[in-house]
Amino acid sequence: MMSDYSIDEFIRKTKQDESENDYFELETPRILEVNLLDQVWAKAGAMISYNGNIKFEREGILEHGVGRLFKKAMTGEGSSLMKATGRGRLYLADQGKKITIFDLDNETITVNGNDLLAFEPSIDWDIKLMKKVAGMVSGGLFNVTLSGSGRVAITSHYEPLTLLVRPGEPVITDPHATVAWSGHLEPNFRTDISFKTLIGRGSGESIQMEFEGDGFVIVQPFEEVYTTGQN
């Protein structure tokens, strides 16, 4: 049901909270505020507003070495990162998706490249290609593994669900609905032939990710189709 507001009432309900000053804060469930004092990595194109003196630049071509550059080229535009440097308040969002902040304490998490919003420069990161399925799903799949201590912000369509993976109790997910997982888990890919035959669609509909061991997997109630930005 729609509500009517005076301008003053609307401003009071929706304005930024000046009292908050954590490095990463949820200004709303779908807008991340970064209280920038130095530098942050963010998904290219995620900036919606900022104040202060902040400079933006795309990831340097050789900033992380030729090996990572090659993997980045293979994954297409979806993996592009930008570096924001300076002092001020930076607001980030990605297509209205819900934002979750993790505070890593010498831990590792792997995030679907399309669902990574921002992370502190203290975090070490690497792009990992899903070689087995690169040609099997629309746009291919790539992940970013983040390790160390610091904050990481990820996005999901609607409310995320965390599934626990226990020894002897593997968890199977749809790759397009899989957001992130604990870093030491290594997903296996499998094709469900009977499902493919039953549905009568292309191979992309029948690929599944299987997680075995001890950890967690985060999924979203949405099947995201990735595009590479390439022809």
Side-chain angles (χ1 to χ4, degrees):
M1 184 174 177
M2 296 288 288
S3 297
D4 292 338
Y5 297 104
S6 71
I7 292 294
D8 286 344
E9 286 171 337
F10 183 76
I11 290 172
R12 193 164 59 249
K13 272 185 167 288
T14 62
K15 72 177 180 179
Q16 68 194 73
D17 187 342
E18 300 283 355
S19 66
E20 297 176 348
N21 52 21
D22 263 359
Y23 185 65
F24 276 16
E25 291 177 350
L26 288 181
E27 193 67 15
T28 78
R30 301 171 198 283
I31 298 176
L32 176 71
E33 176 186 286
V34 182
N35 289 289
L36 192 62
L37 297 174
D38 181 18
Q39 180 180 303
V40 69
W41 285 99
K43 186 174 185 176
M47 185 276 289
I48 59 170
S49 180
Y50 72 92
N51 59 42
N53 183 20
I54 301 176
K55 176 185 174 186
F56 300 91
E57 54 187 325
R58 285 287 184 114
E59 176 193 354
I61 289 180
L62 294 177
E63 187 158 355
H64 297 285
V66 176
R68 194 175 294 180
L69 172 68
F70 173 72
K71 287 187 286 187
K72 183 170 181 292
M74 291 288 288
T75 60
E77 278 299 298
S79 62
S80 293
L81 291 170
M82 67 179 181
K83 183 167 59 176
T85 307
R87 297 178 69 92
R89 281 186 171 167
L90 170 63
Y91 296 93
L92 303 172
D94 185 15
Q95 301 177 33
K97 292 160 70 176
K98 185 177 174 63
I99 300 168
T100 302
I101 300 172
F102 292 105
D103 196 354
L104 298 187
D105 182 12
N106 197 27
E107 296 165 297
T108 299
I109 188 171
T110 300
V111 182
N112 184 299
N114 207 44
D115 300 317
L116 178 61
L117 182 63
F119 56 94
E120 290 194 60
S122 59
I123 299 287
D124 186 46
W125 61 279
D126 193 18
I127 293 172
K128 293 194 174 181
L129 281 173
M130 302 242 189
K131 297 175 183 176
K132 294 180 181 178
V133 294
M136 299 167 73
V137 294
S138 175
L141 288 175
F142 66 95
N143 302 305
V144 183
T145 298
L146 305 136
S147 303
S149 297
R151 289 182 176 87
V152 174
I154 69 171
T155 60
S156 62
H157 286 276
Y158 312 108
E159 299 288 333
L161 173 68
T162 300
L163 304 169
L164 298 181
V165 182
R166 298 183 176 95
E169 300 178 24
V171 170
I172 297 162
T173 66
D174 181 332
H176 293 99
T178 307
V179 174
W181 55 91
S182 42
H184 57 278
L185 293 181
E186 286 285 344
N188 293 313
F189 290 89
R190 57 189 232 179
T191 303
D192 190 323
I193 302 298
S194 61
F195 181 69
K196 176 182 173 183
T197 305
L198 175 67
I199 301 300
R201 294 183 180 179
S203 60
E205 299 297 320
S206 59
I207 298 172
Q208 299 168 347
M209 296 174 77
E210 184 176 31
F211 296 88
E212 293 184 281
D214 192 359
F216 64 86
V217 183
I218 301 171
V219 294
Q220 61 185 357
F222 186 93
E223 292 186 28
E224 196 158 21
V225 178
Y226 317 110
T227 58
T228 62
Q230 299 173 332
N231 294 327

